[in-house]
Amino acid sequence: QVQLVESGGGLVQAGGSLRLSCAASGRTFSTYAMGWFRQAPGKERQFVAAISRSGSSTRYAEFVKGRFAISRDNAKNTVYLQMNSLKPEDTAVYYCAAAASWMATMAQYHSWGQGTQVTVSS
């Protein structure tokens, strides 16, 4: 498995932007599809975005389409989540995780990071 560390969270005003990073340890990063998830207080964790091993395929939750973009740099063992036009309802802890496929269900993801807090003020 791979070890993941998220960063880049913070406090931002509504309409602002943040870029999250997820750094992976080990030499096998490019063999994993990667996903971003989020969990707001009192709510279940939900899928945000996923990217294939090569980065050629991506998919998004409906509520972030057109606002968020997932990307990866396999040379840097890092996956990113560019978040634009942020809304207060985007406030949550954001997690990255690895999977065998970019079409994996949440239950199929593993090696979860510790999360990074994103707070969007109105």
Side-chain angles (χ1 to χ4, degrees), residues 16-94:
S17 298
L18 282 174
R19 188 176 82 154
L20 306 183
S21 298
C22 171
S25 63
R27 303 177 182 177
T28 60
F29 177 72
S30 62
T31 67
Y32 296 106
M34 298 297 297
W36 284 98
F37 300 80
R38 70 186 189 185
Q39 187 166 18
K43 296 187 177 181
E44 294 186 350
R45 189 170 298 186
Q46 60 182 175
F47 168 78
V48 174
I51 189 166
S52 62
R53 300 170 190 177
S54 67
S56 61
S57 298
T58 59
R59 65 186 185 102
Y60 298 91
E62 283 296 324
F63 54 79
V64 302
K65 280 184 178 179
R67 299 190 299 126
F68 291 10
I70 188 171
S71 62
R72 67 189 297 162
D73 185 338
N74 285 342
K76 295 183 178 179
N77 281 9
T78 302
V79 61
Y80 305 97
L81 186 68
Q82 178 67 44
M83 305 187 296
N84 300 324
S85 302
L86 282 162
K87 306 174 181 180
E89 51 264 43
D90 293 319
T91 295
V93 177
Y94 284 71

